[in-house]
Amino acid sequence: FAADYYHHPIGAVINHALPPALRAGRAPPATHETAWRLTALGSEEARRPSARRGARQTAVLKNLAEARLLGSRELAARGVAPAYLKRLATRGWIEPCELPTAAAAPPERRAPTLTLTADQAAALQAIEAEAQGFAAFLLHGITGSGKTEIFLRLIATVLDRDRQTLLLVPEIGLTPQLVGRLRERFGDALVVLHSALTQRERLAAWRKAQTGEAMLVVGTRSAVFAPLPRAGLVIVDEEHDASYKQQEGFRYSARDLAVARARGLGVRVVLASATPSLESLHNAASGRYKLLRLPRRIGAAGPPAFRVIDLKKHATRQGLSTPLLASIDAHLGRGNQVILFLNRRGFAPALFCPQCLTAEECDRCDARLTVHARTGTLLCHHCGRERPLRWACERCGTERIGVGAGTERVTDVLRSLYPDRQIARLDRDVVSRRGALDAVLEDVARGATQILVGTQMLTKGHDFPRVTLVGVLNADQGLFGTDFRSNERLAQTIVQVAGRAGRRDQPGEVVIQTSFPEHPLLQSLLDADYTAFAALALEERRHASWPPFSHLAVWRAEAPARARVFEFLTKLREHAAHHADAVQILGPAPAPLERSRGRYRAQLLFQSRARNALQTHIAATLAAVRGWREARRVRWSIDIDPVEI
Ligand code: ADP
Ligand code: ZN
């Protein structure tokens, strides 16, 4: 299904679905005992009169005919040596196989002590009511509403029926708390599958899923392909997360495949999020998914209070406005913690020469280089190319300036303003050091860190009890994006990061800095909530015929020579347009970042109201393209249901 749907070679898909060690031909760990069973010939022989055989042979055949299959240890106990078994095997009477493990003994589960809230109980009951066959649910629960607790209960009942659960999460490293809670409840029945494991560990975990020894398989994107011989339930946590879509090679959506897989297995699938994707909300509205809502937080904490600060009216100091600083003082003064979100790592996003009036650019990409002061480098965030940082301009020698602020710079300012506080940073630069991620999260969790500055990583399901203030330093980066999904992403980011504030008894406050306080997107978030925003955004999508009201595919091409790219895509467009009644073709247009890693990139957009029409069209076009000379001069790819265009 995945190969057809994403128009990707089936061999490559299968390859992707297997653990790397298995692809390399390595044998899976021999955790299992060999067993023996009768072959067809052996069964026939066992039914024949015993006269022509020795008594020993007859006994073994009879034993196997009765037991269907016996482990080599059991056979040894009955006095049958391995050598003897081999001899019977060469006669073609018996064959070795693997002794299936008895279902792993259910771990000693700690009995749940919490009493479910009425909302939780209703959601759980609705899911339990459909325990037979395929059914899809969208669990829309605000942050801290008790979604995870529902997962735990569901997994437990599935386990009681001796069935496996597959739980997909966006990133394992960022959710140690979730894995901790699962381990505490389910112990050894749990295996974790993700790319940071060694090849050996990954193969071992995969095998446990395959033998059914692992009753709970938790993993990231590619775990959607884990073998599940006794599947009972599939859960996709944070279903809106863009990391479920693989962005290169085999461009699949693990969320969408999870639904397809659950349908194939005939089991339930639960998609959960505090900020569901517009696609999933639309599927719920049209009745394909059952919508379950948890609109309230657990405990005393109500929803956080939102406040917008107009950057046109308030001066900022490296991205921090005076009212925000006043709020930080107040919350720290009450002994609480503060989280500041800025989607920009490094010290400054540009290195500017006031004399030449130019900013340093990457020579391979259409992008400015980011100043990374800690490592003393200039870094291209697109291709990763690094250069030593020199403040003096290479042309005129003038001292250059870092324009704008990234997480490094904000951290520096805060350290000078709050010398007595512990301030930490969380972004990809920090976590590239081994163990750093866990250390940062732990310090925040136990209250040692008072201010945490970070990027998108902050938005993932952390549960820090003493965080009461969340500041969004610059909402404008997302307000005017070129992608039709920019608004949705920004709303999700704001709501998710806001969800870190006031998760216990103390009320939370969320401060958003923007130069466009009147923007309707921000207003809809402030006035009501994500549901109101989503309704508005879906209406816009309907008018503009964007997904989920149409289906998209992007045909991308890139090459060192720009002309080759357009030559290919223009030919493709002409060819495709001939037989495209139900499909609209837009482009070719340069990619948002046209030159990257020294290659020019452009794309054709295919759009249709009918998914089948689009799929048929792509398949037909693909068949023609494979023979073209122009196609061999570029690198091309097809992206079905792209998350970025
Ligand atoms: P979510 O996954 O929606 O963010 P969680 O399931 O993590 O929410 O719940 C948030 C917090 O509330 C957790 O610390 C959890 O242990 C606690 N909690 C969940 N359900 C209940 C309940 N019914 N009674 C008391 N505490 C609960
Ligand atoms: Zn670059």
Side-chain angles (χ1 to χ4, degrees):
F1 172 80
D4 283 349
Y5 187 84
Y6 293 105
H7 302 278
H8 201 66
I10 184 130
V13 171
I14 292 172
N15 208 32
H16 182 83
L18 296 174
L22 215 52
R23 279 182 237 159
R26 230 159 299 152
T31 50
H32 297 277
E33 195 183 329
T34 310
W36 294 89
R37 64 181 170 211
L38 295 179
T39 59
L41 192 68
S43 303
E44 221 171 278
E45 182 63 37
R47 282 195 296 271
R48 292 214 179 115
S50 55
R52 10 177 291 172
R53 293 183 304 259
R56 192 132 163 246
Q57 288 177 352
T58 304
V60 174
L61 290 182
K62 184 162 166 277
N63 278 339
L64 285 175
E66 278 165 5
R68 263 196 349 104
L69 171 149
L70 286 170
S72 35
R73 260 183 258 157
E74 172 65 29
L75 284 163
R78 298 182 189 197
V80 188
Y84 190 73
L85 291 165
K86 292 230 173 75
R87 238 182 302 148
L88 294 186
T90 39
R91 291 194 159 195
W93 288 354
I94 65 171
E95 62 189 1
C97 60
E98 189 178 289
L99 186 68
T101 42
E108 285 191 34
R109 268 177 277 136
R110 280 206 340 190
T113 48
L114 304 172
T115 313
L116 293 184
T117 64
D119 292 332
Q120 281 175 319
L124 188 65
Q125 206 181 7
I127 301 171
E128 289 297 7
E130 312 249 349
Q132 298 301 321
F134 170 75
F137 301 88
L138 176 61
L139 179 60
H140 178 191
I142 64 166
T143 50
S145 61
K147 293 185 292 298
T148 310
E149 190 58 37
I150 292 185
F151 301 164
L152 297 175
R153 306 270 174 133
L154 281 172
I155 296 165
T157 53
V158 168
L159 191 60
D160 285 340
R161 288 199 301 270
D162 196 26
R163 297 272 156 189
Q164 293 172 294
T165 298
L166 171 67
L167 169 58
L168 297 182
V169 296
E171 268 164 283
I172 296 269
L174 287 175
T175 44
Q177 287 161 329
L178 174 64
V179 176
R181 272 165 87 181
L182 292 167
R183 226 181 257 297
E184 186 182 312
R185 226 29 106 91
F186 302 109
D188 289 341
L190 165 92
V191 289
V192 178
L193 272 174
H194 56 97
S195 51
L197 298 177
T198 65
Q199 290 204 3
R200 238 185 136 87
E201 290 168 331
R202 208 151 145 193
L203 179 56
W206 189 90
R207 275 289 285 171
K208 283 188 176 166
Q210 195 200 30
T211 57
E213 205 177 315
M215 296 305 284
L216 172 56
V217 180
V218 181
T220 47
R221 193 167 59 213
S222 66
V224 75
F225 297 104
L228 301 165
R230 294 210 298 273
L233 174 70
V234 178
I235 303 174
V236 183
D237 195 17
E238 311 291 358
E239 66 88 29
H240 67 279
D241 201 293
S243 68
Y244 283 125
K245 180 77 197 263
Q246 176 142 304
Q247 300 275 26
E248 50 198 38
F250 174 25
R251 293 172 163 80
Y252 67 98
S253 156
R255 190 235 0 242
D256 296 347
L257 283 184
V259 176
R261 188 148 186 223
R263 183 179 289 123
L265 289 167
V267 304
R268 294 163 296 170
V269 58
V270 178
L271 308 181
S273 176
T275 53
S277 62
L278 296 183
E279 277 88 352
S280 293
L281 285 170
H282 180 66
N283 279 331
S286 64
R288 271 189 291 270
Y289 301 166
K290 289 191 187 63
L291 181 63
L292 307 168
R293 301 196 58 204
L294 302 176
R296 278 169 285 268
R297 279 190 172 179
I298 303 277
F306 279 77
R307 191 149 64 97
V308 170
I309 292 170
D310 187 346
L311 289 178
K312 293 199 298 291
K313 294 198 183 125
H314 295 278
T316 62
R317 186 163 164 184
Q318 309 304 359
L320 301 162
S321 66
T322 323
L324 176 59
L325 287 170
S327 279
I328 296 176
D329 287 340
H331 285 263
L332 291 180
R334 289 196 285 273
N336 291 328
Q337 292 168 296
V338 174
I339 280 183
L340 299 175
F341 170 77
L342 176 62
N343 216 0
R344 194 176 261 167
R345 64 199 168 90
F347 180 81
L351 182 60
F352 185 75
C353 174
Q355 187 67 37
C356 307
L357 302 180
T358 54
E360 184 103 17
E361 296 200 351
C362 178
D363 48 17
R364 302 201 299 165
C365 307
D366 294 334
R368 289 183 176 156
L369 295 176
T370 302
V371 182
H372 284 251
R374 297 277 189 291
T375 48
T377 51
L378 281 171
L379 184 69
C380 174
H381 281 191
H382 296 281
C383 70
R385 176 164 285 198
E386 237 180 52
R387 249 188 259 166
L389 168 63
R390 286 191 236 302
W391 290 99
C393 176
E394 275 147 32
R395 264 171 292 183
C396 66
T398 309
E399 175 84 358
R400 291 185 289 186
I401 41 179
V403 181
T407 48
E408 274 187 12
R409 191 172 213 170
V410 171
T411 312
D412 287 351
V413 182
L414 289 164
R415 290 209 169 112
S416 67
L417 292 172
Y418 302 99
D420 305 331
R421 305 286 185 175
Q422 186 163 326
I423 297 158
R425 186 159 60 90
L426 182 65
D427 55 31
R428 262 201 287 140
D429 298 322
V430 175
V431 306
S432 62
R433 288 193 303 275
R434 233 189 138 72
L437 174 62
D438 290 344
V440 171
L441 294 180
E442 220 178 281
D443 280 355
V444 182
R446 67 186 169 89
T449 297
Q450 279 108 38
I451 305 179
L452 179 64
V453 181
T455 56
Q456 205 68 30
M457 288 190 159
L458 288 175
T459 63
K460 317 284 169 164
H462 312 291
D463 185 7
F464 302 128
R466 296 206 65 85
V467 172
T468 51
L469 173 64
V470 166
V472 176
L473 297 193
N474 191 350
D476 301 345
Q477 285 168 301
L479 280 180
F480 302 100
T482 51
D483 198 291
F484 73 94
R485 270 182 235 268
S486 327
N487 279 359
E488 180 185 357
R489 293 257 174 273
L490 178 66
Q492 287 164 343
T493 300
I494 290 181
V495 173
Q496 290 284 350
V497 72
R500 308 305 128 214
R503 286 176 64 94
R504 287 302 184 277
D505 315 323
Q506 303 193 50
E509 185 186 1
V510 179
V511 174
I512 301 174
Q513 299 190 144
T514 172
S515 301
F516 307 92
E518 307 303 328
H519 195 288
L521 162 63
L522 291 179
Q523 288 302 322
S524 74
L525 286 177
L526 301 187
D527 292 349
D529 56 359
Y530 185 76
T531 306
F533 156 77
L536 201 72
L538 272 170
E539 226 16 70
E540 279 179 13
R541 295 265 187 102
R542 184 195 298 279
H543 283 299
S545 282
W546 283 121
F549 302 98
S550 68
H551 305 282
L552 298 182
V554 175
W555 208 304
R556 298 196 177 87
E558 58 173 58
R562 192 173 189 272
R564 294 274 183 246
V565 178
F566 280 86
E567 194 177 82
F568 169 67
L569 290 177
T570 306
K571 176 161 180 178
L572 182 62
R573 182 187 173 132
E574 278 160 12
H575 175 88
H578 283 313
H579 42 261
D581 291 337
V583 180
Q584 269 200 306
I585 305 170
L586 302 159
L593 181 86
E594 187 177 13
R595 201 168 57 100
S596 173
R597 296 164 199 267
R599 297 171 156 270
Y600 287 87
R601 310 184 305 167
Q603 58 197 34
L604 268 187
L605 184 66
F606 292 69
Q607 185 170 31
S608 176
R609 285 188 180 273
R611 188 185 285 290
N612 284 342
L614 181 65
Q615 289 285 10
T616 317
H617 185 68
I618 296 270
T621 312
L622 190 56
V625 164
R626 291 221 163 97
W628 292 356
R629 192 159 38 93
E630 289 85 349
R632 285 193 292 275
R633 292 185 179 151
V634 298
R635 213 187 266 166
W636 58 264
S637 63
I638 297 170
D639 190 353
I640 304 290
D641 305 329
V643 296
E644 263 169 46
I645 59 171

